[in-house]
Amino acid sequence: SLLPFAGPFVAWLLLAVVSAGDPGLERIDTLGAGIDGYLGEGRELELFVEAYGQRGTLQEDPLQVRKEAWAANAGLRYVGLLEGKLQLEAAASHRSGNRHSGDRVDQSFQSYENENRFLILQSAEFGLDVDTAVTILRAGIGAGPFEVDGRPLRLHLDVGRFVAASPLRTAGGARLASDEDDWGMETDLSVTWTYNESFQLLLKGAWLSGSALLEDLTASRDDDARLLLFGDDLKF
């Protein structure tokens, strides 16, 4: 439905119920709501906010474990620079994580999948697939399309800071596994050249730096990583 704001805004509401007969997953209810809208004469500014809450029961026997989790996204995107050839965006997101092991409450949001903007930390195919128990602050700039040999070329730069949302602790409050909760800063640059509607080439490079968690997880104590990807997208 449309809301009576200064520009055209749309609000939405989501309810999802997941239930299973086995004792490992009894029922999880997810309630979400959000607003997305565009401002300006040419609708060049987009604003969005969304939030989700989860409640439910993970198991009944031998002891009941409750699900109490939440997630949220908020951000903006501006596409009115250089006749629309330069786009700016910034956003923040949070997925709650479990704060204590061994108790009867699970606070990890389950789950927010298929976030693949950042190649090293988010990609499920090439990276670490970090998509829950995390807080992300990111900014991006896109340029294009520019004509190269009569076909559109686009560039996009993303920078994101990743922090573990809730470092796992024991019921007594002591941290587990690591004294760090910083995934670090990732910078991704992608170049996309679209030959036609069926064929597209992609070159993407990613650099993760200052990752205390990666340093704890690697035998060589590396706190940075680099990844280069070249591929194509062919549709029949």
Side-chain angles (χ1 to χ4, degrees), residues 1-12 34-40 43 45-49 75:
S1 62
L2 293 178
L3 300 179
F5 286 86
F9 276 73
V10 175
W12 55 266
I35 297 177
D36 187 30
Y38 296 84
L39 300 175
R43 298 188 177 184
L45 177 61
E46 179 187 5
L47 304 174
F48 63 90
V49 178

Side-chain angles (χ1 to χ4, degrees), residues 64-138:
Q64 185 186 78
V65 177
R66 304 189 314 275
K67 170 72 72 174
E68 296 180 1
W70 68 282
N73 299 313
L76 58 88
R77 182 180 296 108
Y78 187 74
V79 297
L81 300 173
L82 298 180
E83 299 181 347
K85 291 187 180 296
L86 187 64
Q87 308 90 41
L88 304 176
E89 56 184 295
S93 60
H94 177 81
R95 317 278 179 261
S96 65
N98 197 30
R99 294 191 294 269
H100 302 284
S101 66
D103 63 6
R104 296 169 62 183
V105 179
D106 180 7
Q107 295 97 355
S108 59
F109 190 81
Q110 188 178 341
S111 64
Y112 203 98
E113 297 288 343
N114 297 321
E115 283 192 296
N116 297 305
R117 178 182 296 266
F118 289 93
L119 193 59
I120 296 176
L121 287 178
Q122 289 188 324
S123 173
E125 185 174 2
F126 302 102
L128 299 176
D129 194 22
V130 177
D131 49 28
T132 191
V134 65
T135 299
I136 307 169
L137 299 176
R138 66 172 179 85

